[in-house]
Amino acid sequence: MELTPVLHVLAIGGEHQLPHFLPVAFELDRRKEVKVRFFTLDQKGADAVNRLASRLGYPRPSTSILKLPAPIQWLIERTPLRKAEKVLRLVYWSQKLRNADALLSAERTSTILKRLPGRCPFFMHIPHGAGDRAIGFERRIKLFDEVLTLGRKDRQRMIDEGLVAQEHCHVVGPLKLASFTSAQKKTSLFGNGRPIILYNPHFHPVLGTFEDMAERFLQWATSQNDYNLVIAPHVRLAENWSSEKVANWTKRSISDKVIVDMGSSRSSDMTYTNASSIYCGDVSSQIYEFIARPRPCFFVDSNSIDWQSDPNFAMWHFGPTFDVDADIGAAIAEAVSTHSDYVERQRDAAISALEGIDCADDGVIAASRIIDRAAVLVAGLITDSRRQ
């Protein structure tokens, strides 16, 4: 075993996940207290890791791509095995990946490494976001040795649901918010000074509202001159679309009135949540990034859900909720006029979900403190695991 602990970071869940956990890995790599190696599924993933490191002011990290032998890759591309491609890459690379003191991941397919025969190193998990959907609290979390949440809200729910013992669940803070708060310049999306509405539907096939609402939102936007509109769904909504379909939606943008973004980096780097004045969504966890600075929001229920006491829809208490066929202009007006009724609830929820923010100070985040504390915590967990 090397004198310096080795941490393998599995950056294999998509670009939108990276800001939620890579800042602590970059910081550990910079400090040289831990030897950090990054792993991605493809060159696109490696490029995304490098871009994020550069944007946050860190040196280019050491990155390996989980390539498969050409015959296996050929077979995957021509058979139903494509659905299991990530698992196959993890299994094929398992010996190399597990040759470390610790693993760090934001996704959970990688827990296959815990179930394969042989030794698996100490495995840490930082969830990508602070959303309320049940999928964020699924059983595979039990396979991690340590879980680091963004705030007290998720830590307590994981403990209450028996997913992790309290001594193995720690609050690390919102690394994404901390990183982008310190690195991001204010972006002017439109040149007319009108307030911006962000429509941020999820990709969930049942709970997501894009198919029901996007066209109606566009029609509403073109019929008025009081607001600008950004339609920026979760990046996974269009990941399997044809390039033609993506282009057809993107070209629906209207200069100085509407932006349609079907998955660029601005969809997940807080450009839109920072710039917008009003949020409309369904079940996307980006609502917590938005209410770090409390503002009006409203939600669309496309399934007549009995949600009021369901923790999976806790976010719907941050503003009024409407049926999918509600009048959009009226919904916006109600969200604005009733915002004062929800400010305290938003503020309390944000502080509980995103440890280290201060909503009373306009959503300011002590960025360096959060990242430093996270790096110290992770390094300490790795060191302690080596002693056991």
Side-chain angles (χ1 to χ4, degrees):
M1 184 180 293
E2 298 183 46
L3 294 177
T4 303
V6 176
L7 172 65
H8 284 176
V9 178
L10 307 179
I12 60 175
E15 185 172 359
H16 66 288
Q17 294 187 5
L18 303 185
H20 289 286
F21 78 118
L22 288 196
V24 68
F26 293 152
E27 180 64 19
L28 288 168
D29 193 32
R30 183 189 68 79
R31 296 182 181 200
K32 304 303 180 186
E33 298 171 8
V34 177
K35 183 176 289 187
V36 185
R37 298 169 182 150
F38 297 78
F39 294 84
T40 67
L41 294 176
D42 49 31
Q43 187 60 51
K44 180 182 177 181
D47 292 342
V49 170
N50 291 334
R51 276 197 308 273
L52 182 61
S54 176
R55 180 172 181 178
L56 300 183
Y58 290 101
R60 186 185 185 95
S62 172
T63 305
S64 298
I65 297 174
L66 304 181
K67 294 181 179 180
L68 290 170
I72 298 178
Q73 189 63 48
W74 183 91
L75 185 64
I76 286 173
E77 292 174 357
R78 290 160 177 80
T79 70
L81 284 173
R82 175 171 286 280
K83 295 181 179 179
E85 184 173 0
K86 185 191 289 189
V87 171
L88 292 173
R89 290 177 187 270
L90 288 165
V91 171
Y92 184 83
W93 278 74
S94 60
Q95 183 174 354
K96 175 69 177 290
L97 292 173
R98 300 197 297 185
N99 184 24
D101 295 286
L103 300 170
L104 175 64
S105 177
E107 53 79 73
R108 293 157 194 162
T109 304
S110 54
T111 55
I112 187 68
L113 298 172
K114 293 283 286 188
R115 290 173 282 182
L116 294 173
R119 169 191 172 271
C120 184
F122 179 70
F123 207 160
M124 296 173 289
H125 177 51
I126 300 178
H128 57 283
D132 299 313
R133 292 174 58 235
I135 192 65
F137 304 90
E138 44 117 342
R139 312 314 290 177
R140 286 182 295 180
I141 293 174
K142 288 186 171 185
L143 295 170
F144 293 102
D145 297 296
E146 300 281 343
V147 178
L148 289 71
T149 68
L150 280 65
R152 289 167 282 145
K153 172 182 76 76
D154 287 352
R155 178 180 186 270
Q156 194 59 53
R157 183 170 173 183
M158 287 184 184
I159 293 170
D160 290 346
E161 295 191 12
L163 300 174
V164 61
Q166 60 180 3
E167 63 269 24
H168 296 299
C169 194
H170 314 270
V171 175
V172 71
L175 297 171
K176 175 181 175 180
L177 271 72
S179 299
F180 286 150
T181 295
S182 60
Q184 189 174 58
K185 296 180 179 179
K186 186 72 173 178
T187 302
S188 178
L189 301 179
F190 301 92
N192 51 39
R194 290 193 294 255
I196 300 169
I197 299 171
L198 169 60
Y199 174 48
N200 174 228
H202 199 264
F203 67 90
H204 192 284
V206 176
L207 301 175
T209 56
F210 181 86
E211 295 298 330
D212 295 315
M213 289 288 292
E215 185 66 43
R216 291 184 60 225
F217 242 128
L218 276 169
Q219 293 177 6
W220 170 84
T222 60
S223 69
Q224 55 78 53
N225 291 303
D226 296 321
Y227 294 96
N228 299 315
L229 173 66
V230 172
I231 297 179
H234 190 292
V235 296
R236 289 190 60 189
L237 178 75
E239 66 180 354
N240 294 319
W241 287 10
S242 68
S243 57
E244 181 181 13
K245 185 175 180 179
V246 171
N248 285 339
W249 269 102
T250 302
K251 70 183 183 183
R252 304 288 298 278
S253 298
I254 302 170
S255 178
D256 285 336
K257 179 168 278 192
V258 177
I259 292 173
V260 180
D261 188 330
M262 301 308 299
S264 79
S265 60
R266 297 205 303 184
S267 294
S268 53
D269 71 0
M270 296 186 60
T271 292
Y272 299 137
T273 51
N274 280 340
S276 299
S277 301
I278 302 170
Y279 177 98
C280 173
D282 34 61
V283 292
S284 173
S285 65
Q286 285 194 29
I287 181 58
Y288 281 96
E289 299 171 9
F290 183 81
I291 65 167
R293 177 162 52 88
R295 285 160 285 173
C297 55
F298 65 102
F299 304 91
V300 182
D301 174 5
S302 61
N303 293 277
S304 300
I305 297 166
D306 183 14
W307 59 267
Q308 284 80 358
S309 59
D310 189 335
N312 298 316
F313 299 93
M315 65 191 70
W316 287 5
H317 290 283
F318 304 158
T321 300
F322 300 93
D323 293 334
V324 72
D325 58 353
D327 179 90
I328 292 175
I332 293 167
E334 183 172 339
V336 172
S337 66
T338 63
H339 176 55
S340 60
D341 298 337
Y342 297 96
V343 170
E344 287 304 316
R345 189 174 294 171
Q346 288 185 6
R347 181 174 290 118
D348 291 345
I351 290 172
S352 177
L354 308 168
E355 184 78 12
I357 70 168
D358 183 1
C359 289
D361 192 20
D362 200 31
V364 170
I365 301 169
S368 60
R369 185 176 74 233
I370 287 176
I371 295 172
D372 287 348
R373 185 177 61 194
V376 170
L377 173 61
V378 172
L381 290 172
I382 295 172
T383 299
D384 290 346
S385 72
R386 298 179 94 202
R387 295 179 181 143
Q388 296 176 2

